[in-house]
Amino acid sequence: MAAGAQMYPDSVYGLSRRTVDVDRIETPRLILRAPVFSDAAIVYELLSDPEISRFSPHSPLGVVADANFVILGWREAAEKGTRTYVGAIRENPREAIGFVHIGPDEELGGLLSPAKSGTGLATEGLEAVISTLRLRNAWTIIDAENAPLIRTLAKVNIRQDRILPAYRIHPHISSEKRDCVLLRQQSS
């Protein structure tokens, strides 16, 4: 999902910096928890596979050890207000299936293992994060061709605000800037 917060400052969208500080969020099927270094294998799988991270604005990870640096970065970013939750199925909380980021300005990002796609887990996790953290101005910028994610976000009331032509490079797809979509949480 998302980079580009510098283009849309807080004053433009009235983004809130107030969120609740929660270390663990549970749903009927998921546990969303802080990342730990034993999550490195799934983080590597998600961030190195060009098909899984097709729409990611980040370059792919080169080796599994790189995933430890990603996790360390997530943990350090928490001090600046960025929350990262690793999602796991309740029956096996040690086996991560994806992650979600929430920036201090309520920017969302994340990935879900393709093996779990289409099961409603992404929607369930996003609903839990939005309600538990009391997000009111969640937003993200994604590739305009990422229709499945656009549909998933619409289910949690995050909808297209505008098209951003030739906005960002997605290195798994092209070295050229691609059209993106700014999506924002709609008021209830």
Side-chain angles (χ1 to χ4, degrees):
M1 283 189 239
Q6 69 281 359
M7 187 170 171
Y8 300 97
D10 293 351
S11 59
V12 172
Y13 292 108
L15 299 175
S16 169
R17 296 205 180 272
R18 295 175 297 148
T19 59
V20 177
D21 189 23
V22 176
D23 292 328
R24 183 179 172 113
I25 300 171
E26 296 190 23
T27 74
R29 298 185 294 164
L30 291 171
I31 294 174
L32 301 164
R33 57 169 174 72
V36 294
F37 290 111
S38 60
D39 296 325
I42 187 67
V43 170
Y44 175 75
E45 178 185 332
L46 293 172
L47 297 177
S48 67
D49 185 306
E51 195 54 41
I52 296 172
S53 59
R54 176 174 171 77
F55 295 111
S56 173
H58 305 289
S59 296
L61 297 183
V63 294
V64 175
D66 293 342
N68 287 312
F69 291 107
V70 169
I71 293 167
L72 181 62
W74 290 346
R75 293 170 68 152
E76 290 173 349
E79 296 171 14
K80 297 175 183 162
T82 297
R83 307 285 301 175
T84 300
Y85 292 96
V86 169
I89 302 296
R90 288 183 69 92
E91 291 81 32
N92 191 358
R94 291 186 179 165
E95 187 178 330
I97 61 166
F99 60 88
V100 62
H101 297 291
I102 306 92
D105 60 355
E106 298 188 8
E107 179 183 17
L108 298 175
L111 281 173
L112 178 67
S113 169
K116 301 299 181 184
S117 291
T119 62
L121 289 170
T123 302
E124 185 175 321
L126 285 168
E127 285 173 340
V129 165
I130 289 167
S131 66
T132 302
L133 299 180
R134 300 183 192 144
L135 303 181
R136 298 292 175 257
N137 298 295
W139 65 282
T140 190
I141 296 173
I142 64 172
D143 191 284
E145 292 182 15
N146 195 343
L149 183 54
I150 291 170
R151 285 190 301 273
T152 296
L153 290 166
K155 292 176 185 175
V156 296
N157 207 26
I158 298 174
R159 300 182 193 279
Q160 181 175 321
D161 181 73
R162 70 180 69 173
I163 300 289
L164 305 171
Y167 181 75
R168 182 167 60 197
I169 294 172
H170 292 116
H172 295 277
I173 300 172
S174 167
S175 60
E176 301 292 320
K177 288 188 174 184
R178 295 175 52 84
D179 293 349
C180 292
V181 179
L182 169 65
L183 299 109
R184 292 191 312 133
Q185 187 175 8
Q186 306 297 302
S187 49
S188 304

